[in-house]
Amino acid sequence: MSGANPVLIRSGYLTLVVLFGISPPPAAAQQETARASNMNLVGYSDLQARSAYQPVIQKQGERWIAYIGHHGGDQPNPLTGRTEHNGTSIVDVTDPKNPRYLAHIPGEAKEGTGESGGASMVRVCAGNGLPHGDKSKFYMLRSFGNSAHEMWDVTDPQRPTRINVIVSGLRDTHKNWWECDTGIAYLVSGVIGWRVPRMAQIYDLSDPVKPVFIRNFGLPGQQPGAKGPTPEGLHGPLSTGPKGNRMYFAYGNGVRGVIEIVDRQKLLDGPKETTDENLRYPIIARVDLPFDVGAHNLFPMMQMKLSEFDRQRSGKVKDFLTVIGETTPNECQESRQMARIFDITEESKPMGVSTWTVPEDSGNFCTAGGRFGTHSSNESFTPIYYNRVLFIAHFNAGVRALDIRDPYRPKEIGYYIPAVTRNTDQRCVGQGADQHCKVAIQTNNVEVDDRGYIYAVDRANTGMHILELTGPARQAADFTQLEGSAIRR
């Protein structure tokens, strides 16, 4: 060796073999090169190496603030000097090139990681939009681990203060929805006595200081005292508010998915006793998906003008619903979940019209480590992207941009797969001597803001990447809307 340190080239990366008994850095510290097409990295936050679930972006005065919910676990918080249970990160993204970590609100203390503990779900509303909120304040609704839902005052995002506990004593929580124009909140909860760990609790949070319970809701067969098979639990609701008068419920995130299209007013004003008849009363349509198809979240695409049918006498404008399933096992050990688009123009008769996935051989994703398949889409209705571009979190395939202007033929126009860092966690398959583990990106959720920036957060502790569309992909969006007002949730 002549006393020199040899350099070995392996799989396109440089690995320095250090002599004299000093060990090389661990595999997780070997920096991959990010892979991208028509998407650029603008800024980055490591989120204190916390496993991330849901990001939402809120404009507060002249500032843009990102609120990120986390899975269970714990990490040191350099701002306080203490190790804290994963909860909610608050990051100033006014300058997306230089995001600034403002605060961390600890979550529930509980053994384990993933869906145990933490505070994975977060929604934010401005008080000046809520019917009875303090017009000078901003409010954050979040889950507290699996046991409760809380309300926080985040008017000063650097110094959040808890207002109240809306409901506690739950078995589970998950992906809530909060209407910022009415204050009605659809909480995913696990009420003791129900036959599933996740169903819907509906609250009036128009005055966040004074929560008012409206009703419990779920699929027939889930309620206390029901008999027979129990349908899969609720995963995520979405509301179009009083103007659209529709609720969309996704049940069964990875298997036996169920889609419900619901008359919102009937849901809120109808009979509250949880009989089968009352649970069916507000339903416009229900779609039971095959065993291997899940429904993690739904995204409506209403009044889409279809250029393909410009010369048709009818059918030029249609309504669609995108359904995203959640892939849960690592390394393709079960059916892959995908994005599916339904034509819901005739609401009582939804019809599937297209399916989209990332081709596995485009990155050998089944052997790359971790999950490969869809998890979620963005949920912002900003007119920059609405009915034009939809962003999909695809675990080890990163975030993907889909041109959905022709829902019958959705087309990928860009992607970004982040580089692993020293924080990126490994993902394992098998047990005991048969177990093997790999470090892998796990892009879990994605959101966009009214400026057009894209926020991808990672389940494997890699952090948050702030992105932008570039090249031909940018032409599919409508950035002329930047001066206009965004469609509000």
Side-chain angles (χ1 to χ4, degrees):
M1 297 276 184
S2 303
N5 292 340
V7 174
L8 306 181
I9 300 178
R10 295 178 180 170
S11 303
Y13 305 111
L14 296 179
T15 303
L16 182 64
V17 180
V18 185
L19 302 181
F20 312 115
I22 302 174
S23 300
Q30 297 174 5
Q31 294 287 337
E32 284 192 33
T33 300
R35 287 171 279 170
S37 172
N38 292 326
M39 293 180 77
N40 278 350
L41 179 65
V42 177
Y44 169 77
S45 171
D46 69 2
L47 299 181
Q48 299 183 343
R50 301 181 191 275
S51 174
Y53 183 77
Q54 179 74 28
V56 297
I57 319 302
Q58 178 69 44
K59 191 173 190 294
Q60 298 187 206
E62 297 303 313
R63 304 169 73 187
W64 295 82
I65 308 297
Y67 297 85
I68 301 99
H70 294 288
H71 298 107
D74 53 68
Q75 292 290 337
N77 179 359
L79 298 178
T80 63
R82 298 189 297 268
T83 295
E84 296 174 353
H85 299 294
N86 290 355
T88 309
S89 288
I90 305 177
V91 183
D92 189 324
V93 293
T94 307
D95 178 0
K97 295 180 181 178
N98 297 289
R100 187 164 62 93
Y101 198 99
L102 299 178
H104 174 256
I105 309 172
E108 183 180 37
K110 196 171 182 179
E111 291 296 325
T113 57
E115 303 300 334
S116 298
S120 60
M121 190 60 219
V122 60
R123 299 290 185 193
V124 179
C125 287
N128 63 10
L130 293 168
H132 306 296
D134 184 325
K135 306 307 179 187
S136 66
K137 292 185 178 296
F138 287 85
Y139 300 96
M140 182 185 76
L141 166 68
R142 77 165 190 167
S143 60
F144 182 70
N146 289 328
S147 65
H149 297 286
E150 301 177 332
M151 185 65 67
W152 287 71
D153 182 338
V154 291
T155 308
D156 180 352
Q158 203 158 345
R159 296 173 180 81
T161 58
R162 192 173 74 174
I163 298 172
N164 54 43
V165 176
I166 298 165
V167 58
S168 61
L170 305 174
R171 288 186 295 160
D172 208 344
T173 65
H174 211 52
K175 197 170 170 43
N176 305 327
W177 190 267
W178 191 14
E179 298 173 1
C180 290
D181 53 351
T182 70
I184 302 299
Y186 308 86
L187 308 181
V188 177
S189 299
V191 174
I192 302 299
W194 279 68
R195 302 175 74 201
V196 287
R198 292 176 181 168
M199 36 67 75
Q201 290 190 291
I202 304 175
Y203 274 80
D204 181 347
L205 302 181
S206 58
D207 181 351
V209 177
K210 300 175 182 177
V212 177
F213 175 72
I214 296 177
R215 69 174 299 178
N216 291 329
F217 184 73
L219 294 174
Q222 295 180 336
Q223 74 272 33
K227 306 296 182 183
T230 306
E232 295 291 317
L234 176 64
H235 199 273
L238 184 149
S239 172
T240 62
K243 184 176 180 180
N245 192 36
R246 290 295 178 266
M247 283 295 308
Y248 302 94
F249 288 94
Y251 299 85
N253 57 304
V255 295
R256 292 187 292 265
V258 175
I259 304 164
E260 277 191 326
I261 302 175
V262 176
D263 184 306
R264 175 186 174 277
Q265 205 59 52
K266 287 184 177 181
L267 174 67
L268 298 179
D269 296 339
K272 306 299 191 296
E273 185 182 355
T274 55
T275 64
D276 283 1
E277 181 181 5
N278 290 348
L279 295 177
R280 292 190 184 103
Y281 170 71
I283 306 305
I284 296 168
R286 169 174 166 165
V287 179
D288 289 79
L289 300 170
F291 173 84
D292 61 349
V293 178
H296 172 278
N297 69 283
L298 309 169
F299 190 74
M301 304 181 300
M302 312 303 284
Q303 293 297 285
M304 293 193 71
K305 297 179 180 179
L306 306 175
S307 60
E308 172 65 26
F309 303 120
D310 275 347
R311 298 185 179 182
Q312 303 295 134
R313 176 172 294 182
S314 59
K316 300 176 184 179
V317 178
K318 285 181 172 288
D319 297 332
F320 297 90
L321 183 67
T322 298
V323 181
I324 310 293
E326 176 183 4
T327 299
T328 53
N330 296 326
E331 298 189 23
C332 303
Q333 296 298 298
E334 291 180 8
S335 297
R336 186 189 315 172
Q337 298 301 310
M338 297 180 273
R340 293 175 166 85
I341 299 180
F342 286 74
D343 183 335
I344 59 169
T345 308
E346 189 174 348
E347 286 184 295
S348 63
K349 299 176 182 178
M351 180 176 66
V353 296
S354 62
T355 301
W356 172 86
T357 185
V358 174
E360 192 278 332
D361 61 5
S362 65
N364 297 319
F365 292 111
C366 280
T367 56
R371 304 185 191 187
F372 169 60
T374 56
H375 181 252
S376 63
S377 70
N378 65 277
E379 295 177 331
S380 167
F381 288 84
T382 178
I384 296 171
Y385 296 123
Y386 186 62
N387 285 355
R388 302 176 71 89
V389 182
L390 191 64
F391 297 91
I392 309 293
H394 213 286
F395 289 121
N396 67 4
V399 59
R400 320 299 284 209
L402 296 188
D403 183 339
I404 44 87
R405 288 176 292 180
D406 181 351
Y408 298 98
R409 291 183 288 271
K411 179 176 65 174
E412 182 175 296
I413 54 174
Y415 63 84
Y416 188 89
I417 307 174
V420 298
T421 72
R422 289 180 179 273
N423 295 329
T424 306
D425 196 14
Q426 63 184 6
R427 292 294 186 261
C428 301
V429 172
Q431 300 290 328
D434 295 326
Q435 185 181 75
H436 69 269
C437 303
K438 297 178 181 179
V439 174
I441 287 297
Q442 295 286 266
T443 300
N444 200 74
N445 279 66
V446 59
E447 189 54 288
V448 299
D449 68 19
D450 290 344
R451 302 174 295 178
Y453 292 113
I454 306 141
Y455 300 79
V457 299
D458 186 82
R459 190 184 191 96
N461 312 343
T462 312
M464 176 174 69
H465 295 79
I466 306 174
L467 310 165
E468 63 181 357
L469 286 182
T470 61
R474 195 170 180 86
Q475 304 308 310
D478 184 5
F479 283 91
T480 65
Q481 298 285 344
L482 277 176
E483 300 303 320
S485 60
I487 301 173
R488 300 300 177 190
R489 280 191 281 234

